[in-house]
Amino acid sequence: MDEILRELQHLGLTEKEAAVYVASLELGPAPVQDLAHKSKVNRATVYVMIDSLVDRGLMSSFIKGKRRFYSA
């Protein structure tokens, strides 16, 4: 796991971006709360990391019912 995080950082992601991205890969489509718990990154920070990853084309979002889900 640490090797994957290091490689993503080597490719230009920050430590927290890499953690959120890997959590998203592991969980599949998930709400921010689940991504924050899995990645051990503060929920408010996860929103910022998701925005950055969406800008890079690495994540997307969709609404299901009343909840927004994010996916790698």
Side-chain angles (χ1 to χ4, degrees):
M1 175 64 79
D2 289 336
E3 292 177 30
I4 294 170
L5 292 174
R6 276 196 301 273
E7 187 61 31
L8 288 170
Q9 290 173 34
H10 180 70
L11 294 172
L13 271 61
T14 67
E15 182 179 345
K16 290 180 181 179
E17 284 173 336
V20 171
Y21 184 69
V22 169
S24 181
L25 288 173
E26 291 177 351
L27 291 172
V32 167
Q33 183 175 354
D34 294 352
L35 291 170
H37 180 74
K38 180 76 173 175
S39 66
K40 296 183 174 84
V41 175
N42 178 289
R43 186 175 54 86
T45 304
V46 170
Y47 280 108
V48 175
M49 298 302 104
I50 287 172
D51 285 344
S52 175
L53 291 165
V54 166
D55 289 345
R56 294 173 185 239
L58 296 173
M59 287 187 77
S60 61
S61 67
F62 63 93
I63 296 175
K64 183 176 180 184
K66 294 182 178 182
R67 299 181 80 184
R68 181 171 294 274
F69 288 76
Y70 298 90
S71 179

